[in-house]
Amino acid sequence: MTEVRHFVLTQDGQIREFSSEEAALIAAGANRLPEFAQRRMRYLQVAWHRDLGSDSNELKIQTACAAIQFDAEGRLAEAAPPGESDKLTRFEHDTCVQWALRKLALPPVTLH
């Protein structure tokens, strides 16, 4: 079982999550985000995989970061590797990962 979550992080500390369906529409230019018009944002994708057919409870997590630019109408105009000013802090990264995995937490697991 593989799942993916998509996060856009603003320079002023806001984090917004998008479903895979929403992210695909945004990437294709079919969905506008007027609130992000003419802005450069940071993007983090969190993917995890659990082999349901094995006895192991191992969870493999991968993350990928990008810098994204929106045009005047709020459509995705560019996605590129993050520059020095686009890097996520460790706190931002860990917050997104923990939020993405929140439904997987079973006692006695504690996310903090």
Side-chain angles (χ1 to χ4, degrees), residues 6-89:
H6 307 268
F7 298 90
V8 173
L9 297 91
T10 66
Q11 296 300 343
D12 59 358
Q14 296 180 27
I15 300 174
R16 185 161 166 196
E17 182 180 7
F18 294 92
S19 70
S20 292
E21 294 79 18
E22 290 172 313
L25 290 171
I26 293 165
N31 198 6
R32 294 183 316 119
L33 298 170
E35 65 272 28
F36 297 155
Q38 297 289 65
R39 293 180 69 189
R40 183 176 176 93
M41 314 292 278
R42 297 166 301 148
Y43 167 80
L44 180 67
Q45 180 184 76
V46 179
W48 67 91
H49 176 79
R50 177 181 284 165
D51 187 358
L52 296 177
S54 78
D55 292 335
S56 170
N57 281 331
E58 183 178 28
L59 187 64
K60 296 178 183 176
I61 302 167
Q62 292 182 306
T63 59
C65 186
I68 55 178
Q69 178 73 41
F70 291 88
D71 68 13
E73 296 180 0
R75 285 192 177 87
L76 183 64
E78 178 185 2
E84 195 60 39
S85 65
D86 302 312
K87 293 193 177 185
L88 277 79
T89 66

